[in-house]
Amino acid sequence: YSQWTRNVKIRNQAESIQYGLLKARNEALRRNKVVTFWLVSSSTPNQLGADCATSHTGNNWVISLRDPQAKCHLAVSEDTDPLILDKHAAADGASQTTISTQPAGAYAISFNGLGQVSVRTESGTPLTRIDITANNSNDNDRAYQIQLNAGGMTRLCDPQVSDSNDPRKC
């Protein structure tokens, strides 16, 4: 039972991040302007505090028009800098997961008004992949991968699936 619970928490974290990416892309399409999805960290458990920082290992995320660093605690607003459109503070289960990104060190991805990946200087190199694994992982833990392509599409897959006919295969 504990193994199943652990795997559910990993899956929930992966789905939360994928939802944030899809929402950022949809907002860019709806607004016809560049919108960025940021991975962020915060020392405040279960909430985004004023101490948040962009992080390639952050379990939290923010969708905004400007860099949200140290401003994640602000309410969702289209009038107040950094123009946060949505945000998500990772739940308790996320503390049992580890996030890693490709390219190494990437923490954000921007979408233009056509929903395609747009490179912005403040977000650095755009994300192309996010790996979600368990802390202190063992052979029974699931791992998930979110792949992002230049067209702005995301795909959640399972790197442990080996059958080439299985749609979950990465």
Side-chain angles (χ1 to χ4, degrees), residues 40-53 59-60 70 72-73 88-92 94-95:
V40 296
S41 63
S42 181
S43 63
T44 312
N46 300 324
Q47 63 183 11
L48 294 173
D51 61 340
C52 81
N59 283 324
N60 309 299
C72 299
H73 64 290
H88 176 75
D92 292 332
S95 64

Side-chain angles (χ1 to χ4, degrees), residues 90-154:
D92 292 332
S95 64
Q96 296 180 11
T97 63
T98 300
I99 304 293
S100 60
T101 61
Q102 293 294 325
Y107 54 82
I109 186 166
S110 298
F111 301 96
N112 65 22
L114 299 174
Q116 300 166 329
V117 174
S118 170
V119 178
R120 289 173 57 171
T121 55
E122 70 263 20
S123 64
T125 307
L127 291 166
T128 57
R129 190 175 91 199
I130 302 171
D131 296 309
I132 301 98
T133 57
N135 294 345
N136 307 315
S137 186
N138 64 49
D139 291 340
N140 295 320
D141 287 333
R142 303 306 300 174
Y144 292 95
Q145 191 176 94
I146 300 171
Q147 300 172 341
L148 303 113
N149 68 27
M153 301 302 292
T154 64

Side-chain angles (χ1 to χ4, degrees), residues 11 132 139-145 147 155-170:
R11 175 72 184 213
I132 301 98
D139 291 340
N140 295 320
D141 287 333
R142 303 306 300 174
Y144 292 95
Q145 191 176 94
Q147 300 172 341
R155 180 171 180 266
L156 179 64
C157 59
D158 186 340
Q160 295 172 342
V161 173
S162 59
D163 182 358
S164 60
N165 295 320
D166 192 328
R168 298 173 300 153
K169 183 179 182 342
C170 290

